């Protein structure tokens, strides 16, 4: 089965549409949370994701905050402003969809979480030491996470070695073997690895090939919609820089 992996769309419809167009038909889509927050199109993004084929989707911290299930004081000022704006425009259908999302999903060889298996909504796996502590926290061979907005793979090593961090390869497919891995596709709607192009990944569950991918999108279109909505300018500016 050819699975499209997306995460951290953050209400950026132009980026989401670019990813879906570049990805072509997928038999299934797995989405790792944060459909909303930061960006100008929360309802449109939820509608688009909801209708994707064989979708599995988990809840992110921004999704949870828009539902008022997290104290928004936990967020920085710009993020908080964007969450309050999202609350003001979210339709009942959007809120109902977000409320129904699980905080994690585990099936066959795969676990899906937004942040980490240890703290599904909040923890950032930004380095191999944090990844190391999370390997015992999921039972499956592979764990897919988002939240950091940075594509990466962490590979568990045998013995006392700390796990290995592997940078994304956008040219070749990576053959997954029997090693246990934590895989992050990066962010569709707000990349933070100094590359403004939308990030996503493919997984073929039969051949076990994983591909990190990037596609540029119309950043100016999203920025214009953010400014029209009076979202914080810093949030619009950062999209062009990819941080
Ligand atoms: Zn996010």
């Amino acid at each position: 089965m050819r699975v499209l992996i997306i995460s951290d769309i953050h209400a950026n419809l132009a980026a989401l549409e670019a990813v879906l167009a570049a990805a072509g038909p997928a038999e299934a889509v797995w989405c790792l949370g944060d459909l909303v927050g930061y960006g100008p199109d929360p309802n449109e993004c939820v509608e688009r994701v909801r209708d994707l084929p064989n979708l599995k989707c988990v809840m992110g911290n921004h999704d949870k905050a828009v539902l008022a299930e997290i104290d928004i004081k936990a967020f920085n000022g710009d993020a908080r402003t964007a969450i309050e704006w999202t609350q003001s425009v979210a339709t009942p259908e959007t809120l109902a969809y977000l409320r129904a999302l699980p905080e994690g999903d585990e099936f066959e060889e795969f676990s899906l979480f937004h942040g980490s298996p240890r703290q599904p909504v909040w923890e950032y796996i930004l380095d191999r030491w944090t990844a190391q502590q999370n390997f015992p926290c999921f039972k499956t061979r592979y764990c897919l996470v988002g939240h950091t907005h940075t594509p990466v793979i962490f590979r568990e090593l045998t013995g006392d070695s700390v796990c290995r961090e592997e940078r994304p390869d956008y040219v070749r497919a990576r053959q997954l073997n029997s090693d246990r891995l934590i895989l992050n596709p990066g962010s569709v709607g707000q990349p933070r690895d100094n590359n403004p192009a939308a990030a996503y990944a493919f997984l073929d569950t039969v051949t076990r090939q994983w591909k990190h991918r990037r596609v540029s999108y119309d950043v100016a279109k999203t920025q214009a919609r953010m400014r029209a909505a009076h979202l914080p300018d810093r949030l619009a500016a950062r999209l062009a820089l990819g941080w």
Side-chain angles (χ1 to χ4, degrees), residues 113-136:
F113 296 102
H114 179 62
S116 77
R118 183 166 61 175
Q119 294 178 42
V121 174
W122 267 115
E123 185 176 35
Y124 293 87
I125 304 184
L126 283 163
D127 57 67
R128 59 200 188 105
W129 290 275
T130 310
Q132 181 75 17
Q133 291 167 357
N134 270 281
F135 273 106

Side-chain angles (χ1 to χ4, degrees), residues 8 10 34 38 61-62 114 147 149 192:
D8 296 278
H10 283 295
D34 275 2
Y38 296 130
N61 55 317
H62 285 255
H114 179 62
H147 195 36
H149 298 206
R192 290 183 193 157

